[in-house]
Amino acid sequence: MVERSVALFGTSQPVPPRLTLTAGSLTATLENGALRWIRHGDIEVLRAIAWQVRDRNWDTPEPLVTNLVVQQQKTGFRVTFDALCRSADGELPWLAEIIGEADGTLRFTGTARPRVDFLTNRTGFVILHPLAGVAGRPVEITHTNGETRQARFPELIDPEQCFLDIRSLAHEAAPGLWATSRMEGDTWEMEDHRNWLDASFKTYVRPLALPFPYKLAGGSEATQSVTLKFSGRPSAPSMANGPRPVAITYADSQARMPVLGLRVGTETLAERMRAADLGRRTGIGLVNARFDPRADHDVQRLGHLGELAQALGAELALELVVPCRRDPAHELRDFAEMLSQSGVQPESIAVAVAEDRLRLVPGPPPPDLALLGVVYGAARNVFPQMTIGGGTFGFFAELNRNWPPFGLIDYITHIAASVVHAADDRTMMENLESLPAMARTVRAFAGAMPYRLIALSLGLDSGPYGEPAPNPDDTRRTLVRRDPRQRGLFAAAWALGALAEAAHNGIAAVTPAALAGDLGIVECGDRLSLHPIYHVVRGLARAAGRDVAGTVSSDPARVRAIACRNAAGRIVLWLANLTDEVQRVTLPEGGNLRRLDEETFAAAGLAADFLDRQKATRIGREIEIGAYGIALIEMGE
């Protein structure tokens, strides 16, 4: 029997313990030294208050918490602990005190005490507001000079900082209930975290306009605090009576299943060809591959990519980095000559300028954005018959800050990864909430132009800020390519949720994984084996272009759903449990059930057609799905 943690998460690393704290109507969860899911009754008021240390590469080391003391009483609580964050630049010790009072007031104080000089891009408190009940809603901002003004949280994703020079934020968490978060000890500002797939608005310490990295002097002391207070009362009392089953219902829909692709990842050429037959059996439509002249990519690489696409029975979607070190037209003609020599005929070429030619931070663009027009105009001249994609090979933030010239391209694209700012299990799943806002924002500035995601995955294949962080210990870490959960049921559930959002929001093509390697669906060990995500990719890739039935989950934070018709015309419903607990689900009708879960994990790793061969179980209108499990139901009699 496979160890449960390995089946779920691909690693034996334990899940951090969680402790629920209560003070009057307020509850919060203490996890890894951070307060998470801060609620007033049933209402999520803040997603997190956390003291974070970011190193010079923006990696966020987890704190080592010691001397934890928790005093929970009927009227409130007090928590103290010591913490230590280690980065490549050294160690930063800090200590914390958290107090919850009977009226729901919450105060979190942190004090950094570096023993020697410590270099950091950002150290201090981060406050996360959730999306539900917040996006597009009013907020009152108090600035550091005491002045207040009225504003709204962004509805569409804001490419700049939402608010600057913040001392406190007050928002109506529920009708009649106002929550005020006050920050002391520094100056805060807010950014729209959805730019990086994070499902929150982030208020963070130290303005980006100040230089970074900066030094915390050895022997110094820096104290900050965050206080949350409530006023008024919610107009309706809590009606919660324990978790109810998640109800799946049908709704009208005009959506279609996107074309699915696989990336050429970190695997060797030998591994790619070794896994090619299993990749071909998924039925994917695209092979996504990067061509970067700065990395000495050449004609031979193009030939290998063409051979792989042919072996997979898919079309090649090339991603061309234009360095812009010379006239872009000359650089594009050089690439066109290599492409001609290779004999490869790609389905499309997505063109993007090198990262240092993009606006990576808020504020006025450092390069002239007319450069983008030059690059895309040259691409259209050099490849007049080719489908040309545009946008960025970075995150949505880079697309949002650097709109391509839409009249010169045929589709718009970017990447998305779930490990950018946090790597805990629950945050990774919550990040799926950002995908609809991404699609709405693209539609707002690009209209009906086809929209592709050339990478939508747990780990980070590549990004605009440098190479992904190493992960030699195979643990949950930010900004890594090698996330151990890629090998477990977790990645299968996450991918199903992501593909459901992509389909329901009209995204034309999605690449949720690589063929092999760190982001792969196939493990190339002594013998080939399959990760659970393989079966999700295979099942949904075969449905590309088919109508997607409108499915509605009563609690998408627990269970996501997608349904389409199979070759026989029957509705096939896919369900993913996004939690580490068993979930009960009610269905619109009964059907024939197949499962991908802890019990079937080992068998699923051995056969590409595992779900096809599994004997179906006849079910009624209610089922249970295990932790991070997948349920596949052919509906009807």
Side-chain angles (χ1 to χ4, degrees):
M1 184 71 177
V2 177
E3 180 185 346
R4 184 173 192 265
S5 180
V6 171
L8 296 185
F9 306 114
T11 176
S12 296
Q13 181 195 17
V15 175
R18 295 173 183 165
L19 176 65
T20 300
L21 304 169
T22 60
S25 297
L26 179 136
T27 61
T29 299
L30 182 66
E31 181 182 79
N32 265 2
L35 285 181
R36 307 295 306 275
W37 313 296
I38 301 163
R39 295 178 176 272
H40 188 286
D42 287 343
I43 303 155
E44 185 182 14
V45 177
L46 295 178
R47 185 142 281 182
I49 303 174
W51 179 285
Q52 289 188 345
V53 177
R54 309 294 300 275
D55 70 14
R56 70 171 76 194
N57 297 313
W58 293 106
D59 193 14
T60 310
E62 291 284 353
L64 174 64
V65 175
T66 57
N67 301 324
L68 176 65
V69 178
V70 179
Q71 297 170 301
Q72 175 69 71
Q73 301 171 339
K74 290 183 179 180
T75 56
F77 59 83
R78 181 176 183 266
V79 177
T80 59
F81 59 84
D82 298 329
L84 180 68
C85 287
R86 291 190 177 98
S87 79
D89 294 313
E91 297 182 345
L92 180 65
W94 57 279
L95 53 89
E97 181 186 56
I98 309 172
I99 296 174
E101 300 177 2
D103 63 355
T105 298
L106 175 67
R107 183 176 297 106
F108 193 160
T109 303
T111 301
R113 291 178 174 171
R115 301 184 187 98
V116 297
D117 292 353
F118 182 81
L119 204 61
T120 178
N121 279 356
R122 179 183 296 158
T123 290
F125 277 115
V126 167
I127 301 96
L128 303 182
H129 283 76
L131 302 182
V134 175
R137 300 293 299 278
V139 58
E140 181 179 270
I141 305 157
T142 301
H143 296 289
T144 56
N145 63 4
E147 294 181 357
T148 64
R149 70 182 182 93
Q150 308 298 316
R152 285 183 177 271
F153 288 97
E155 179 68 43
L156 299 178
I157 302 175
D158 192 340
E160 314 298 330
Q161 293 110 323
C162 312
F163 312 120
L164 302 171
D165 187 34
I166 302 170
R167 177 61 65 227
S168 71
L169 297 164
H171 77 287
E172 194 174 23
L177 178 70
W178 282 81
T180 300
S181 304
R182 183 173 180 85
M183 292 74 75
E184 302 280 0
D186 210 316
T187 300
W188 276 257
E189 59 191 27
M190 179 185 287
E191 65 189 8
D192 195 330
H193 232 190
R194 296 174 294 178
N195 279 295
W196 298 273
L197 198 67
D198 301 79
S200 59
F201 297 100
K202 181 174 74 172
T203 304
Y204 57 91
V205 75
R206 189 172 170 92
L208 276 175
L210 296 177
F212 60 85
Y214 61 97
K215 181 175 67 176
L216 297 176
S220 66
E221 181 173 293
T223 298
Q224 300 171 13
S225 66
V226 178
T227 303
L228 174 66
K229 287 182 174 289
F230 296 95
S231 59
R233 293 186 177 182
S235 59
S238 169
M239 301 298 290
N241 213 358
R244 299 177 180 178
V246 178
I248 304 298
T249 55
Y250 293 142
D252 292 336
S253 173
Q254 296 180 336
R256 290 182 181 273
M257 185 68 68
V259 176
L260 267 58
L262 289 173
R263 293 199 64 75
V264 171
T266 56
E267 70 276 19
T268 65
L269 175 62
E271 287 174 324
R272 292 173 203 157
M273 299 312 294
R274 186 175 168 217
D277 180 62
L278 287 169
R280 185 183 189 91
R281 295 173 71 179
T282 64
I284 55 120
L286 297 173
V287 173
N288 291 79
R290 187 75 45 86
F291 189 92
D292 189 344
R294 301 170 302 171
D296 297 326
H297 291 173
D298 55 16
V299 173
Q300 186 179 34
R301 176 176 174 83
L302 287 171
H304 289 160
L305 295 176
E307 291 171 11
L308 178 63
Q310 186 175 23
L312 292 175
E315 295 188 278
L316 179 62
L318 279 174
E319 302 157 13
L320 173 63
V321 177
V322 183
C324 298
R325 301 292 183 262
R326 301 180 290 131
D327 183 338
H330 293 163
E331 293 176 335
L332 281 157
R333 283 197 290 271
D334 289 346
F335 171 72
E337 177 62 27
M338 284 190 281
L339 189 62
S340 176
Q341 292 176 20
S342 73
V344 173
Q345 297 182 333
E347 172 267 349
S348 63
I349 301 175
V351 178
V353 300
E355 296 87 346
D356 62 349
R357 302 293 175 166
L358 287 173
R359 181 161 65 111
L360 298 179
V361 297
D368 186 349
L369 287 183
L371 174 65
L372 297 179
V374 172
V375 169
Y376 290 109
R380 181 56 70 199
N381 289 333
V382 172
F383 301 105
Q385 304 302 318
M386 180 66 66
T387 297
I388 301 291
T392 179
F393 302 154
F395 302 119
F396 183 84
E398 284 66 60
L399 174 64
N400 213 11
R401 293 170 181 160
N402 303 271
W403 294 359
F406 302 119
L408 295 173
I409 59 176
D410 302 304
Y411 66 88
I412 195 163
T413 193
H414 64 90
I415 71 168
S418 200
V419 292
V420 178
H421 288 111
D424 63 278
D425 300 332
R426 190 159 167 182
T427 293
M428 297 283 276
M429 289 299 183
E430 287 171 342
N431 288 346
L432 297 173
E433 299 171 21
S434 293
L435 287 169
M438 281 186 177
R440 289 195 302 270
T441 306
V442 167
R443 294 286 168 251
F445 63 69
M449 175 171 289
Y451 176 25
R452 298 186 184 186
L453 286 168
I454 54 174
L456 176 62
S457 53
L458 291 180
L460 174 61
D461 181 53
S462 62
Y465 316 128
E467 277 297 301
N471 192 10
D473 298 326
D474 218 18
T475 57
R476 298 166 174 86
R477 288 193 58 190
T478 59
L479 291 172
V480 298
R481 178 184 289 121
R482 183 178 177 81
D483 189 301
R485 288 164 292 194
Q486 182 72 19
R487 305 188 291 269
L489 289 163
F490 187 98
W494 193 92
L496 183 59
L499 294 172
E501 290 295 347
H504 294 149
N505 287 281
I507 297 176
V510 185
T511 298
L515 173 60
D518 294 337
L519 296 172
I521 60 174
V522 177
E523 182 70 31
C524 294
D526 293 337
R527 57 178 294 181
L528 293 176
S529 60
L530 309 173
H531 300 319
I533 189 176
Y534 177 96
H535 301 286
V536 172
V537 171
R538 181 175 184 267
L540 296 184
R542 294 183 294 175
R546 293 179 187 165
D547 291 340
V548 172
T551 50
V552 178
S553 169
S554 64
D555 192 346
R558 289 192 284 157
V559 176
R560 282 291 208 287
I562 186 170
C564 58
R565 295 191 181 275
N566 61 15
R570 300 183 69 176
I571 290 179
V572 176
L573 175 66
W574 291 77
L575 302 174
N577 179 355
L578 306 187
T579 76
D580 57 6
E581 298 177 344
V582 173
Q583 297 297 335
R584 290 187 298 145
V585 182
T586 61
L587 307 169
E589 57 182 323
N592 295 310
L593 169 68
R594 294 177 173 86
R595 296 180 182 272
L596 178 60
D597 55 18
E598 291 177 60
E599 293 182 4
T600 62
F601 174 83
L606 302 176
D609 58 351
F610 163 74
L611 284 175
D612 294 338
R613 282 202 265 169
Q614 185 182 134
K615 184 178 179 180
T617 302
R618 186 68 194 169
I619 57 166
R621 295 189 57 188
E622 184 167 318
I623 62 170
E624 288 188 344
I625 310 178
Y628 302 115
I630 302 291
L632 173 61
I633 308 163
E634 187 177 67
M635 309 299 286
E637 296 296 332

